[in-house]
Structure formats: C-alpha cells, structure tokens
Amino acid sequence: MKKNTIKTFSGFSFLLMFVFSSCCNTQQKDNSSPMTAKNVVLMIGDGMSVPQICFAMEHAETTLAFEKFAYTGLVKTRSKNAKITDSAAAGTAIATGQKTNNGMIGMNSDSIPIPSILETLKDLGKNTGIVVSCAVTHATPAAFIAKNCSRNNKEEIAEDFASTDKLDVLIGGGRKYFLNRKDSVNLIEKMIQNGWKLYDSINQIEVDATKPLVLLSDRHPKTILEGRGDMLPDGVTTALSLLNKNENGFFLMVEGSQIDWAGHNNDTEYLKAEMEDFNKTIEIVLDFAQKNPETLLIVTADHETGGLTLVSDSTNTYNAIKYKFATTNHSALMTPIFAIGPGAEQFTGIMDNTDIYNKIYQAVQKKDEPK
Ligand SMILES: [Zn+2]
C-alpha cells in the first residue's frame, strides 16, 4: 500500500504525510501502546446502544463524538440471573468485573461485596469522581461506591456514599436521601465532617476546591427538556480540572443517566435532547484527552432501552426513517464501546461487560519505557 502511495503522491506530499502519520499515530493507533493510562474517564450512556447512536446521528448537524474514537467494540450485557439486565447488575458488572443478579449493587450474586474499579484505582493513589444526571444513589453511580442487595435501598446507598473514603468529587441529584431520611440522620453533616464541602451549584465550586459535593435536586435532576441545562457538561468540566491536579492521575465515571428514561417513555424528543447532552459531554472529555494524552477515555452503555429501531416508512422509498420502539423496557442488544488513549486498543471485538474492569486495570499498570 505504501508503494502505491509513493507513486501517486509527490515527494512533498509524501513527506507531509509521513510527518503527520508519525506524530499522530503513536498514541491512538500503535498496538503496542507503550504509554500507561494515568487518567481514566469511563462514560456510560444508560440505555444507549447502536440504535440510540444512529438516532442521534440522524438528528445531528455535525459529526458526533462517537465517530472520533480510535477503537470500537461490542459488549455483551446479560446479568447473572437474567438474559436482559437492569442497570444495577450491568453497572455492577462494569464497575466490579463480576456478574450479579438484577437489582443488586456492588456485590456478587452470593451477596459478597466487591471493590469497584473506582475504589481499586483510588487505592493506587488516583483521585476519583462521579458526575451523573440522576440521583447519585441511582443504580449506575451506586454500583461504583455502594454495596447493597437492592438498588431500592436508596437511603442505605446514600450512607455508603457518606462513609466512603474512596471518592473526591460527587455531582448529581438525590439530596433527599442524604438529608430527609426516615432515620432523621443528616448525612451531609457527616460528609462535611469527613472533609466534603457542599455547594448549591456547580459554578460555585472554587478552582482549588477539595471534595466538592453537589446534590442539585431532591431526587433526580430535571430532564433537558424541563431545563436541566448544562449540568452534565459543566459538572464534567469542573471535575476534570479538579481531579487533574493529582500527580498520580484520576478515575472519573460519568453517566448520561436519562437516555434510559427517554427509552422507557418511548419519547423521541426526550431521547434526542439527552443524546445531544451526552454527546456534548463526550466532546469535552475528548478535548481534555487530546490535551492530556495519558488519558484513557472509554464510552459505553449498560444496556439498550426501548428496543428502538430505525425503519423505512410504508412508501418503500427508503428515504424516510420511522423511529419505532418495541418495548418500554430494556432489550438484550449488545452495547457499543468506544475507546481512545493508552490501553484503548484492548476495547475491540466482542467482550463481556465484566471484561471492562480488567482492561482498565491493565491500562493503568506501569509499562516499560519504549525502546
Ligand atoms: Zn432502565
């Protein structure tokens, strides 16, 4: 292939091409990936599989962030006890590397608590953060911190957030589960005693803040259509700049939480808005990863929601797409995974959701300097 290229290009063009490819390929395409991932950002679109991404592409005016990744693969999602997973079992599988039963958080099907990748990387000296557009006690963020046999025990899950020493940044909703509890315990006070600082909004967080806690709503933050605004992209921008101050790097989990609820509601306007918000947030992290090349960025999903299909309308012209939902629940579809940065080459082919933990762990291990 190189010989043909030389024949058809002038010497100058070839030189330019060589310079371009040699400076840009080392990180993203080199299969030996000599760099260690210092920072890891794991972004989860809840309920977002290939149909939701195709849907977003149909509505986008520019290229979506998903097309800018060097490596892509597919993820099998079934849980320990069900062919179709819920967000608790899928979140736990991604977070801990072990399958569990639907409904269970941070523990295996024998109710044994398992450390999450967030906790493991904190033990390696990294800063850690969670930024989500749902209550922080909801299944996906809970799977990275809490250990509970039921996702419904939200007040117990909040207690796990309040007592953990593995987390440095927490942005989402769910204030009620910390403040207005059946046991009348004020978990926010407990967190402040443990070094957290509570902020009423993301833009109040100082540039040198440590352990910022933002719980923007009693339960879930608003939908985008109801005026949530840039909570997720702004939260991620703030989290990245605070976490990046640690010389050992960081782990950040981001969830586009409400893509799932748009699917449950079979609501295309809601889905469009939440996919736009998640895409915008991915763009921010892609930009950060470009400026900080020791960053492994992974974007994936826990499962598909709604059984969305993009089909031709009845005119058979193939020029009009109809969006049809086959269910108001989850489906068994595989989910896509996208990766860029050191260790990204591991995220290709078909993998299980439990493989993600080990692939991240491999990527952060110190590697010998390239010869
Ligand atoms: Zn769901």
Side-chain angles (χ1 to χ4, degrees):
M1 189 174 160
K2 262 193 176 164
K3 273 184 185 166
N4 290 340
T5 314
I6 294 167
K7 274 180 202 163
T8 50
F9 279 77
S10 70
F12 182 64
S13 304
F14 179 70
L15 180 70
L16 275 182
M17 225 179 69
F18 176 76
V19 169
F20 179 77
S21 63
S22 60
C23 71
C24 299
N25 273 356
T26 47
Q27 212 225 305
Q28 295 171 6
K29 293 285 186 188
D30 180 359
N31 283 339
S32 65
S33 187
M35 281 175 76
T36 299
K38 179 181 157 193
N39 311 316
V40 180
V41 184
L42 174 60
M43 303 183 72
I44 299 173
D46 198 309
M48 180 195 76
S49 186
V50 171
Q52 284 74 17
I53 294 171
C54 293
F55 170 87
M57 283 175 174
E58 283 301 320
H59 290 90
E61 281 160 19
T62 54
T63 305
L64 291 184
F66 302 99
E67 295 190 51
K68 299 175 185 173
F69 285 79
Y71 298 94
T72 60
L74 290 167
V75 182
K76 296 189 285 185
T77 64
R78 70 156 294 161
S79 72
K80 178 86 175 178
N81 70 338
K83 288 184 175 175
I84 298 178
T85 190
D86 78 332
S87 292
T92 299
I94 293 169
T96 69
Q98 292 192 43
K99 294 274 186 191
T100 196
N101 295 340
N102 282 3
M104 297 181 79
I105 297 284
M107 47 175 57
N108 67 18
S109 55
D110 297 323
S111 301
I112 309 287
I114 328 160
S116 73
I117 190 70
L118 179 150
E119 294 167 315
T120 302
L121 297 192
K122 179 68 181 177
D123 289 342
L124 293 179
K126 297 190 187 301
N127 275 348
T128 60
I130 291 177
V131 182
V132 294
S133 49
C134 62
V136 298
T137 47
H138 205 53
T140 310
F144 286 80
I145 293 292
K147 319 292 170 195
N148 205 292
C149 60
S150 173
R151 60 185 291 170
N152 297 324
N153 295 330
K154 290 173 187 153
E155 295 191 355
E156 290 178 14
I157 290 168
E159 280 176 51
D160 286 352
F161 273 95
S163 58
T164 184
D165 59 356
K166 309 286 188 202
L167 191 59
D168 301 297
V169 174
L170 182 57
I171 300 174
R175 201 186 304 127
K176 173 194 184 302
Y177 307 108
F178 292 79
L179 273 183
N180 188 9
R181 297 163 52 84
K182 289 191 193 94
D183 61 9
S184 303
V185 173
N186 185 333
L187 289 182
I188 303 279
E189 257 174 26
K190 183 179 170 185
M191 291 179 83
I192 289 167
Q193 282 163 13
N194 290 338
W196 289 90
K197 185 169 176 185
L198 182 68
Y199 296 87
D200 291 332
S201 70
I202 292 162
N203 59 24
Q204 284 176 357
I205 300 174
E206 304 93 352
V207 288
D208 58 350
T210 53
K211 293 183 86 91
L213 169 65
V214 186
L215 299 171
L216 286 169
S217 47
D218 264 349
R219 290 186 168 82
H220 297 303
K222 290 175 181 170
T223 73
I224 285 282
L225 297 174
E226 288 168 348
R228 187 172 77 238
D230 282 340
M231 177 224 157
L232 193 68
D234 287 353
V236 167
T237 302
T238 302
L240 286 172
S241 82
L242 293 174
L243 293 169
N244 196 31
K245 295 197 167 100
N246 182 12
E247 62 179 21
N248 288 324
F250 65 83
F251 173 85
L252 174 64
M253 195 286 285
V254 178
E255 187 193 32
S257 316
Q258 299 197 27
I259 297 164
D260 178 58
W261 306 340
H264 281 291
N265 291 358
N266 289 185
D267 184 334
T268 50
E269 279 307 301
Y270 188 8
L271 181 62
K272 177 172 172 280
E274 294 296 337
M275 284 298 295
E276 278 171 4
D277 182 60
F278 194 50
N279 181 67
K280 186 175 180 178
T281 311
I282 299 169
E283 290 284 8
I284 287 166
V285 189
L286 272 172
D287 185 56
F288 177 90
Q290 201 169 30
K291 290 171 184 153
N292 299 272
E294 289 172 292
T295 304
L296 169 62
L297 167 58
I298 303 150
V299 179
T300 190
D302 49 358
H303 54 75
E304 195 273 345
T305 305
L308 177 64
T309 54
L310 285 69
V311 292
S312 67
D313 70 6
S314 53
T315 61
N316 286 330
T317 61
Y318 286 1
N319 277 322
I321 297 173
K322 267 193 170 177
Y323 306 106
K324 287 193 175 176
F325 292 93
T327 178
T328 54
N329 285 315
H330 299 176
S331 77
L333 281 182
M334 287 191 285
T335 55
I337 190 162
F338 307 87
I340 196 164
E345 72 284 347
Q346 301 178 93
F347 294 89
T348 57
I350 294 180
M351 67 199 80
D352 215 325
N353 54 6
T354 49
D355 295 330
I356 296 169
Y357 178 104
N358 273 331
K359 288 174 190 288
I360 293 175
Y361 191 73
Q362 290 296 320
V364 302
Q365 297 302 307
K366 288 268 179 287
K367 299 190 177 61
D368 293 336
E369 287 300 313
K371 306 261 173 351

